[in-house]
Amino acid sequence: QECLDIQCGDWEEHCILLCNYFNYIDRFRKEQVSGYSDTDIQSFCVLCDLLPEGEAMVVLRQDRHSGHCEFWQAVTGKCYFLPSKSSMWKGLFSCCPGRSQDGEEDLEEPEVVQKGVESSDARSILKASPSIPIQRVHMAFNSDNVWANIQTQSSSASHTDILGLWFDLSDRSRWHPLFLRGREELRRLSGLSTDTSQAGWHRVTEDPAFNYRLEDPSHALVYEPADEKKAARLESKFELQLEQDIAHLRAMGDQGRAQHATKFNRVIADRLGQLLVRLEDCANSTRLSGGLDAVFPLRSNAPPPETLEAVEATMQEIESDFCMMGRPGRSVFGLPFNQPYTD
């Protein structure tokens, strides 16, 4: 709540907030959205070493059934997909039918994971996102426990990044829990009540790790409504400043260029302005970096509310109408800017 109130935070605040968002969304989908009833996706905050940032925190979003993982950088919005090691091993051994899978953990990790090769059970070998910046993982935590990564990198392995790690947090030979009894012990040592039947608590029969409703409704985040009047003033301010700068630059004729008078076409500007909401919807429904490599249920199969192809088609119509007005041979040049505003 404090991070939202002051609109400022570091890696930890952003990751904890994003982790809670993911857990809510995935648990809501499991209970309310068709096709997700059999899914089990859990999110964790992970302390790790990144390139080039150094020690930082990311969000691990894991499909507990398949073991596939996503790593999200909460500050930049970039996502990286990492398939489970067991699925990669099964796929590789399916390409070598004479090779046994027994003792696969003792073998050296593969340098290259092939993509698009189907095994006998029609499952393709999944490919990890290229250039995952995570070099070392120290620990992971959520509201139930803290797990220390005790895996050691084999000296014979050809890489030192997370491709050589297993992310089954229930495996105590690789991940050591801080609280051996889990959530109950954590709450007891934190001085919090373990009795959720007391007043002020939402009574649920499901495990809190799978329910999207808050255990304590008083912990719900409070959001301030957007100041639409301030946004309109900023829009007018930026538009006027850009028009003045463009007109001034064209009138100066710097660097030997001809001087030009600038006239702004308000009709075309209004039509382009109507695309801003569609561009925002397109940006909000498009994953950055390697997130496109992920598979269902980590990545939704639902069609996006807006596609770049549809927006570009509308822009082509606007350009065609503009070129038909006035002298022939005119063209439209430009690009959209999609950046957060900070004062």
Side-chain angles (χ1 to χ4, degrees), residues 248-266:
H248 175 75
L249 180 64
R250 288 169 55 85
M252 291 296 293
D254 292 341
Q255 301 178 359
R257 292 175 297 199
Q259 294 178 304
H260 297 279
T262 302
K263 296 181 180 180
F264 294 95
N265 190 318
R266 298 298 177 184

mmCIF file with all atom_site columns, all heavy atoms in Angstrom, residues 248-266:
data_model
loop_
_atom_site.group_PDB
_atom_site.id
_atom_site.type_symbol
_atom_site.label_atom_id
_atom_site.label_alt_id
_atom_site.label_comp_id
_atom_site.label_asym_id
_atom_site.label_entity_id
_atom_site.label_seq_id
_atom_site.pdbx_PDB_ins_code
_atom_site.Cartn_x
_atom_site.Cartn_y
_atom_site.Cartn_z
_atom_site.occupancy
_atom_site.B_iso_or_equiv
_atom_site.pdbx_formal_charge
_atom_site.auth_seq_id
_atom_site.auth_comp_id
_atom_site.auth_asym_id
_atom_site.auth_atom_id
_atom_site.pdbx_PDB_model_num
ATOM 1   N N   . HIS A 1 248 ? 9.017  25.567 -34.954 1.00 0.00 ? 248 HIS A N   1
ATOM 2   C CA  . HIS A 1 248 ? 10.260 26.330 -34.827 1.00 0.00 ? 248 HIS A CA  1
ATOM 3   C C   . HIS A 1 248 ? 11.404 25.651 -35.586 1.00 0.00 ? 248 HIS A C   1
ATOM 4   O O   . HIS A 1 248 ? 12.179 26.317 -36.290 1.00 0.00 ? 248 HIS A O   1
ATOM 5   C CB  . HIS A 1 248 ? 10.611 26.484 -33.354 1.00 0.00 ? 248 HIS A CB  1
ATOM 6   C CG  . HIS A 1 248 ? 11.927 27.158 -33.116 1.00 0.00 ? 248 HIS A CG  1
ATOM 7   N ND1 . HIS A 1 248 ? 12.116 28.526 -33.284 1.00 0.00 ? 248 HIS A ND1 1
ATOM 8   C CD2 . HIS A 1 248 ? 13.135 26.661 -32.725 1.00 0.00 ? 248 HIS A CD2 1
ATOM 9   C CE1 . HIS A 1 248 ? 13.366 28.834 -33.014 1.00 0.00 ? 248 HIS A CE1 1
ATOM 10  N NE2 . HIS A 1 248 ? 14.012 27.721 -32.662 1.00 0.00 ? 248 HIS A NE2 1
ATOM 11  N N   . LEU A 1 249 ? 11.519 24.341 -35.461 1.00 0.00 ? 249 LEU A N   1
ATOM 12  C CA  . LEU A 1 249 ? 12.593 23.613 -36.134 1.00 0.00 ? 249 LEU A CA  1
ATOM 13  C C   . LEU A 1 249 ? 12.479 23.726 -37.648 1.00 0.00 ? 249 LEU A C   1
ATOM 14  O O   . LEU A 1 249 ? 13.477 23.938 -38.340 1.00 0.00 ? 249 LEU A O   1
ATOM 15  C CB  . LEU A 1 249 ? 12.555 22.139 -35.707 1.00 0.00 ? 249 LEU A CB  1
ATOM 16  C CG  . LEU A 1 249 ? 13.623 21.232 -36.325 1.00 0.00 ? 249 LEU A CG  1
ATOM 17  C CD1 . LEU A 1 249 ? 15.019 21.667 -35.877 1.00 0.00 ? 249 LEU A CD1 1
ATOM 18  C CD2 . LEU A 1 249 ? 13.377 19.775 -35.946 1.00 0.00 ? 249 LEU A CD2 1
ATOM 19  N N   . ARG A 1 250 ? 11.268 23.621 -38.177 1.00 0.00 ? 250 ARG A N   1
ATOM 20  C CA  . ARG A 1 250 ? 11.090 23.707 -39.633 1.00 0.00 ? 250 ARG A CA  1
ATOM 21  C C   . ARG A 1 250 ? 11.287 25.130 -40.145 1.00 0.00 ? 250 ARG A C   1
ATOM 22  O O   . ARG A 1 250 ? 11.718 25.341 -41.284 1.00 0.00 ? 250 ARG A O   1
ATOM 23  C CB  . ARG A 1 250 ? 9.703  23.208 -40.005 1.00 0.00 ? 250 ARG A CB  1
ATOM 24  C CG  . ARG A 1 250 ? 9.540  21.697 -39.880 1.00 0.00 ? 250 ARG A CG  1
ATOM 25  C CD  . ARG A 1 250 ? 8.068  21.282 -39.989 1.00 0.00 ? 250 ARG A CD  1
ATOM 26  N NE  . ARG A 1 250 ? 7.435  21.775 -41.211 1.00 0.00 ? 250 ARG A NE  1
ATOM 27  C CZ  . ARG A 1 250 ? 7.486  21.172 -42.386 1.00 0.00 ? 250 ARG A CZ  1
ATOM 28  N NH1 . ARG A 1 250 ? 8.153  20.035 -42.511 1.00 0.00 ? 250 ARG A NH1 1
ATOM 29  N NH2 . ARG A 1 250 ? 6.863  21.689 -43.431 1.00 0.00 ? 250 ARG A NH2 1
ATOM 30  N N   . ALA A 1 251 ? 10.993 26.126 -39.300 1.00 0.00 ? 251 ALA A N   1
ATOM 31  C CA  . ALA A 1 251 ? 11.132 27.521 -39.735 1.00 0.00 ? 251 ALA A CA  1
ATOM 32  C C   . ALA A 1 251 ? 12.574 28.001 -39.693 1.00 0.00 ? 251 ALA A C   1
ATOM 33  O O   . ALA A 1 251 ? 12.948 28.932 -40.425 1.00 0.00 ? 251 ALA A O   1
ATOM 34  C CB  . ALA A 1 251 ? 10.258 28.428 -38.871 1.00 0.00 ? 251 ALA A CB  1
ATOM 35  N N   . MET A 1 252 ? 13.429 27.394 -38.882 1.00 0.00 ? 252 MET A N   1
ATOM 36  C CA  . MET A 1 252 ? 14.808 27.840 -38.735 1.00 0.00 ? 252 MET A CA  1
ATOM 37  C C   . MET A 1 252 ? 15.661 27.524 -39.961 1.00 0.00 ? 252 MET A C   1
ATOM 38  O O   . MET A 1 252 ? 16.568 28.278 -40.312 1.00 0.00 ? 252 MET A O   1
ATOM 39  C CB  . MET A 1 252 ? 15.430 27.205 -37.493 1.00 0.00 ? 252 MET A CB  1
ATOM 40  C CG  . MET A 1 252 ? 14.849 27.730 -36.191 1.00 0.00 ? 252 MET A CG  1
ATOM 41  S SD  . MET A 1 252 ? 15.183 29.490 -35.957 1.00 0.00 ? 252 MET A SD  1
ATOM 42  C CE  . MET A 1 252 ? 16.961 29.462 -35.749 1.00 0.00 ? 252 MET A CE  1
ATOM 43  N N   . GLY A 1 253 ? 15.405 26.394 -40.583 1.00 0.00 ? 253 GLY A N   1
ATOM 44  C CA  . GLY A 1 253 ? 16.218 26.008 -41.732 1.00 0.00 ? 253 GLY A CA  1
ATOM 45  C C   . GLY A 1 253 ? 17.656 25.724 -41.366 1.00 0.00 ? 253 GLY A C   1
ATOM 46  O O   . GLY A 1 253 ? 18.583 26.081 -42.108 1.00 0.00 ? 253 GLY A O   1
ATOM 47  N N   . ASP A 1 254 ? 17.879 25.105 -40.227 1.00 0.00 ? 254 ASP A N   1
ATOM 48  C CA  . ASP A 1 254 ? 19.239 24.805 -39.783 1.00 0.00 ? 254 ASP A CA  1
ATOM 49  C C   . ASP A 1 254 ? 19.910 23.787 -40.687 1.00 0.00 ? 254 ASP A C   1
ATOM 50  O O   . ASP A 1 254 ? 19.270 23.012 -41.399 1.00 0.00 ? 254 ASP A O   1
ATOM 51  C CB  . ASP A 1 254 ? 19.207 24.264 -38.350 1.00 0.00 ? 254 ASP A CB  1
ATOM 52  C CG  . ASP A 1 254 ? 18.797 25.342 -37.358 1.00 0.00 ? 254 ASP A CG  1
ATOM 53  O OD1 . ASP A 1 254 ? 18.897 26.531 -37.716 1.00 0.00 ? 254 ASP A OD1 1
ATOM 54  O OD2 . ASP A 1 254 ? 18.365 24.987 -36.233 1.00 0.00 ? 254 ASP A OD2 1
ATOM 55  N N   . GLN A 1 255 ? 21.276 23.803 -40.657 1.00 0.00 ? 255 GLN A N   1
ATOM 56  C CA  . GLN A 1 255 ? 22.112 22.864 -41.396 1.00 0.00 ? 255 GLN A CA  1
ATOM 57  C C   . GLN A 1 255 ? 21.816 22.861 -42.894 1.00 0.00 ? 255 GLN A C   1
ATOM 58  O O   . GLN A 1 255 ? 21.844 21.833 -43.566 1.00 0.00 ? 255 GLN A O   1
ATOM 59  C CB  . GLN A 1 255 ? 21.934 21.449 -40.828 1.00 0.00 ? 255 GLN A CB  1
ATOM 60  C CG  . GLN A 1 255 ? 22.305 21.348 -39.361 1.00 0.00 ? 255 GLN A CG  1
ATOM 61  C CD  . GLN A 1 255 ? 22.089 19.963 -38.796 1.00 0.00 ? 255 GLN A CD  1
ATOM 62  O OE1 . GLN A 1 255 ? 21.633 19.064 -39.497 1.00 0.00 ? 255 GLN A OE1 1
ATOM 63  N NE2 . GLN A 1 255 ? 22.430 19.794 -37.527 1.00 0.00 ? 255 GLN A NE2 1
ATOM 64  N N   . GLY A 1 256 ? 21.543 24.056 -43.416 1.00 0.00 ? 256 GLY A N   1
ATOM 65  C CA  . GLY A 1 256 ? 21.380 24.205 -44.850 1.00 0.00 ? 256 GLY A CA  1
ATOM 66  C C   . GLY A 1 256 ? 20.052 23.738 -45.401 1.00 0.00 ? 256 GLY A C   1
ATOM 67  O O   . GLY A 1 256 ? 19.865 23.723 -46.634 1.00 0.00 ? 256 GLY A O   1
ATOM 68  N N   . ARG A 1 257 ? 19.121 23.385 -44.514 1.00 0.00 ? 257 ARG A N   1
ATOM 69  C CA  . ARG A 1 257 ? 17.826 22.940 -45.003 1.00 0.00 ? 257 ARG A CA  1
ATOM 70  C C   . ARG A 1 257 ? 16.925 24.124 -45.297 1.00 0.00 ? 257 ARG A C   1
ATOM 71  O O   . ARG A 1 257 ? 17.068 25.196 -44.709 1.00 0.00 ? 257 ARG A O   1
ATOM 72  C CB  . ARG A 1 257 ? 17.167 22.016 -43.972 1.00 0.00 ? 257 ARG A CB  1
ATOM 73  C CG  . ARG A 1 257 ? 17.884 20.691 -43.815 1.00 0.00 ? 257 ARG A CG  1
ATOM 74  C CD  . ARG A 1 257 ? 17.273 19.862 -42.720 1.00 0.00 ? 257 ARG A CD  1
ATOM 75  N NE  . ARG A 1 257 ? 17.390 20.524 -41.411 1.00 0.00 ? 257 ARG A NE  1
ATOM 76  C CZ  . ARG A 1 257 ? 17.277 19.883 -40.261 1.00 0.00 ? 257 ARG A CZ  1
ATOM 77  N NH1 . ARG A 1 257 ? 17.054 18.590 -40.248 1.00 0.00 ? 257 ARG A NH1 1
ATOM 78  N NH2 . ARG A 1 257 ? 17.382 20.558 -39.121 1.00 0.00 ? 257 ARG A NH2 1
ATOM 79  N N   . ALA A 1 258 ? 15.955 23.898 -46.200 1.00 0.00 ? 258 ALA A N   1
ATOM 80  C CA  . ALA A 1 258 ? 15.040 24.973 -46.577 1.00 0.00 ? 258 ALA A CA  1
ATOM 81  C C   . ALA A 1 258 ? 14.088 25.282 -45.430 1.00 0.00 ? 258 ALA A C   1
ATOM 82  O O   . ALA A 1 258 ? 13.762 24.409 -44.623 1.00 0.00 ? 258 ALA A O   1
ATOM 83  C CB  . ALA A 1 258 ? 14.241 24.559 -47.808 1.00 0.00 ? 258 ALA A CB  1
ATOM 84  N N   . GLN A 1 259 ? 13.671 26.542 -45.364 1.00 0.00 ? 259 GLN A N   1
ATOM 85  C CA  . GLN A 1 259 ? 12.714 26.944 -44.337 1.00 0.00 ? 259 GLN A CA  1
ATOM 86  C C   . GLN A 1 259 ? 11.300 26.598 -44.791 1.00 0.00 ? 259 GLN A C   1
ATOM 87  O O   . GLN A 1 259 ? 10.956 26.739 -45.968 1.00 0.00 ? 259 GLN A O   1
ATOM 88  C CB  . GLN A 1 259 ? 12.825 28.444 -44.071 1.00 0.00 ? 259 GLN A CB  1
ATOM 89  C CG  . GLN A 1 259 ? 14.150 28.854 -43.449 1.00 0.00 ? 259 GLN A CG  1
ATOM 90  C CD  . GLN A 1 259 ? 14.250 30.349 -43.251 1.00 0.00 ? 259 GLN A CD  1
ATOM 91  O OE1 . GLN A 1 259 ? 14.098 31.123 -44.208 1.00 0.00 ? 259 GLN A OE1 1
ATOM 92  N NE2 . GLN A 1 259 ? 14.511 30.771 -42.024 1.00 0.00 ? 259 GLN A NE2 1
ATOM 93  N N   . HIS A 1 260 ? 10.497 26.155 -43.840 1.00 0.00 ? 260 HIS A N   1
ATOM 94  C CA  . HIS A 1 260 ? 9.130  25.751 -44.159 1.00 0.00 ? 260 HIS A CA  1
ATOM 95  C C   . HIS A 1 260 ? 8.170  26.306 -43.126 1.00 0.00 ? 260 HIS A C   1
ATOM 96  O O   . HIS A 1 260 ? 8.488  26.390 -41.936 1.00 0.00 ? 260 HIS A O   1
ATOM 97  C CB  . HIS A 1 260 ? 8.993  24.220 -44.180 1.00 0.00 ? 260 HIS A CB  1
ATOM 98  C CG  . HIS A 1 260 ? 9.820  23.549 -45.223 1.00 0.00 ? 260 HIS A CG  1
ATOM 99  N ND1 . HIS A 1 260 ? 9.441  23.460 -46.549 1.00 0.00 ? 260 HIS A ND1 1
ATOM 100 C CD2 . HIS A 1 260 ? 11.024 22.925 -45.142 1.00 0.00 ? 260 HIS A CD2 1
ATOM 101 C CE1 . HIS A 1 260 ? 10.362 22.802 -47.237 1.00 0.00 ? 260 HIS A CE1 1
ATOM 102 N NE2 . HIS A 1 260 ? 11.336 22.473 -46.393 1.00 0.00 ? 260 HIS A NE2 1
ATOM 103 N N   . ALA A 1 261 ? 6.984  26.653 -43.626 1.00 0.00 ? 261 ALA A N   1
ATOM 104 C CA  . ALA A 1 261 ? 5.882  26.986 -42.724 1.00 0.00 ? 261 ALA A CA  1
ATOM 105 C C   . ALA A 1 261 ? 5.146  25.691 -42.400 1.00 0.00 ? 261 ALA A C   1
ATOM 106 O O   . ALA A 1 261 ? 5.022  24.801 -43.239 1.00 0.00 ? 261 ALA A O   1
ATOM 107 C CB  . ALA A 1 261 ? 4.945  27.993 -43.376 1.00 0.00 ? 261 ALA A CB  1
ATOM 108 N N   . THR A 1 262 ? 4.649  25.576 -41.175 1.00 0.00 ? 262 THR A N   1
ATOM 109 C CA  . THR A 1 262 ? 4.028  24.340 -40.729 1.00 0.00 ? 262 THR A CA  1
ATOM 110 C C   . THR A 1 262 ? 2.546  24.562 -40.452 1.00 0.00 ? 262 THR A C   1
ATOM 111 O O   . THR A 1 262 ? 2.167  25.498 -39.734 1.00 0.00 ? 262 THR A O   1
ATOM 112 C CB  . THR A 1 262 ? 4.700  23.819 -39.451 1.00 0.00 ? 262 THR A CB  1
ATOM 113 O OG1 . THR A 1 262 ? 6.092  23.622 -39.700 1.00 0.00 ? 262 THR A OG1 1
ATOM 114 C CG2 . THR A 1 262 ? 4.077  22.497 -39.001 1.00 0.00 ? 262 THR A CG2 1
ATOM 115 N N   . LYS A 1 263 ? 1.727  23.735 -41.065 1.00 0.00 ? 263 LYS A N   1
ATOM 116 C CA  . LYS A 1 263 ? 0.295  23.741 -40.811 1.00 0.00 ? 263 LYS A CA  1
ATOM 117 C C   . LYS A 1 263 ? -0.098 22.371 -40.256 1.00 0.00 ? 263 LYS A C   1
ATOM 118 O O   . LYS A 1 263 ? 0.298  21.356 -40.805 1.00 0.00 ? 263 LYS A O   1
ATOM 119 C CB  . LYS A 1 263 ? -0.491 24.035 -42.092 1.00 0.00 ? 263 LYS A CB  1
ATOM 120 C CG  . LYS A 1 263 ? -0.229 25.419 -42.678 1.00 0.00 ? 263 LYS A CG  1
ATOM 121 C CD  . LYS A 1 263 ? -1.060 25.644 -43.930 1.00 0.00 ? 263 LYS A CD  1
ATOM 122 C CE  . LYS A 1 263 ? -0.812 27.027 -44.513 1.00 0.00 ? 263 LYS A CE  1
ATOM 123 N NZ  . LYS A 1 263 ? -1.623 27.254 -45.747 1.00 0.00 ? 263 LYS A NZ  1
ATOM 124 N N   . PHE A 1 264 ? -0.870 22.373 -39.199 1.00 0.00 ? 264 PHE A N   1
ATOM 125 C CA  . PHE A 1 264 ? -1.280 21.129 -38.554 1.00 0.00 ? 264 PHE A CA  1
ATOM 126 C C   . PHE A 1 264 ? -2.701 20.754 -38.987 1.00 0.00 ? 264 PHE A C   1
ATOM 127 O O   . PHE A 1 264 ? -3.608 21.583 -38.952 1.00 0.00 ? 264 PHE A O   1
ATOM 128 C CB  . PHE A 1 264 ? -1.217 21.256 -37.029 1.00 0.00 ? 264 PHE A CB  1
ATOM 129 C CG  . PHE A 1 264 ? 0.185  21.442 -36.509 1.00 0.00 ? 264 PHE A CG  1
ATOM 130 C CD1 . PHE A 1 264 ? 0.690  22.704 -36.257 1.00 0.00 ? 264 PHE A CD1 1
ATOM 131 C CD2 . PHE A 1 264 ? 1.006  20.339 -36.294 1.00 0.00 ? 264 PHE A CD2 1
ATOM 132 C CE1 . PHE A 1 264 ? 1.974  22.876 -35.776 1.00 0.00 ? 264 PHE A CE1 1
ATOM 133 C CE2 . PHE A 1 264 ? 2.295  20.500 -35.818 1.00 0.00 ? 264 PHE A CE2 1
ATOM 134 C CZ  . PHE A 1 264 ? 2.786  21.777 -35.569 1.00 0.00 ? 264 PHE A CZ  1
ATOM 135 N N   . ASN A 1 265 ? -2.835 19.514 -39.439 1.00 0.00 ? 265 ASN A N   1
ATOM 136 C CA  . ASN A 1 265 ? -4.118 19.003 -39.904 1.00 0.00 ? 265 ASN A CA  1
ATOM 137 C C   . ASN A 1 265 ? -4.883 18.431 -38.708 1.00 0.00 ? 265 ASN A C   1
ATOM 138 O O   . ASN A 1 265 ? -4.572 17.339 -38.219 1.00 0.00 ? 265 ASN A O   1
ATOM 139 C CB  . ASN A 1 265 ? -3.895 17.912 -40.971 1.00 0.00 ? 265 ASN A CB  1
ATOM 140 C CG  . ASN A 1 265 ? -5.179 17.519 -41.663 1.00 0.00 ? 265 ASN A CG  1
ATOM 141 O OD1 . ASN A 1 265 ? -6.209 17.373 -41.033 1.00 0.00 ? 265 ASN A OD1 1
ATOM 142 N ND2 . ASN A 1 265 ? -5.104 17.348 -42.975 1.00 0.00 ? 265 ASN A ND2 1
ATOM 143 N N   . ARG A 1 266 ? -5.873 19.168 -38.220 1.00 0.00 ? 266 ARG A N   1
ATOM 144 C CA  . ARG A 1 266 ? -6.593 18.758 -37.022 1.00 0.00 ? 266 ARG A CA  1
ATOM 145 C C   . ARG A 1 266 ? -7.485 17.542 -37.280 1.00 0.00 ? 266 ARG A C   1
ATOM 146 O O   . ARG A 1 266 ? -7.739 16.748 -36.363 1.00 0.00 ? 266 ARG A O   1
ATOM 147 C CB  . ARG A 1 266 ? -7.451 19.921 -36.517 1.00 0.00 ? 266 ARG A CB  1
ATOM 148 C CG  . ARG A 1 266 ? -6.658 21.150 -36.117 1.00 0.00 ? 266 ARG A CG  1
ATOM 149 C CD  . ARG A 1 266 ? -5.727 20.843 -34.967 1.00 0.00 ? 266 ARG A CD  1
ATOM 150 N NE  . ARG A 1 266 ? -4.906 21.994 -34.608 1.00 0.00 ? 266 ARG A NE  1
ATOM 151 C CZ  . ARG A 1 266 ? -3.955 21.966 -33.696 1.00 0.00 ? 266 ARG A CZ  1
ATOM 152 N NH1 . ARG A 1 266 ? -3.674 20.822 -33.078 1.00 0.00 ? 266 ARG A NH1 1
ATOM 153 N NH2 . ARG A 1 266 ? -3.248 23.054 -33.424 1.00 0.00 ? 266 ARG A NH2 1
#
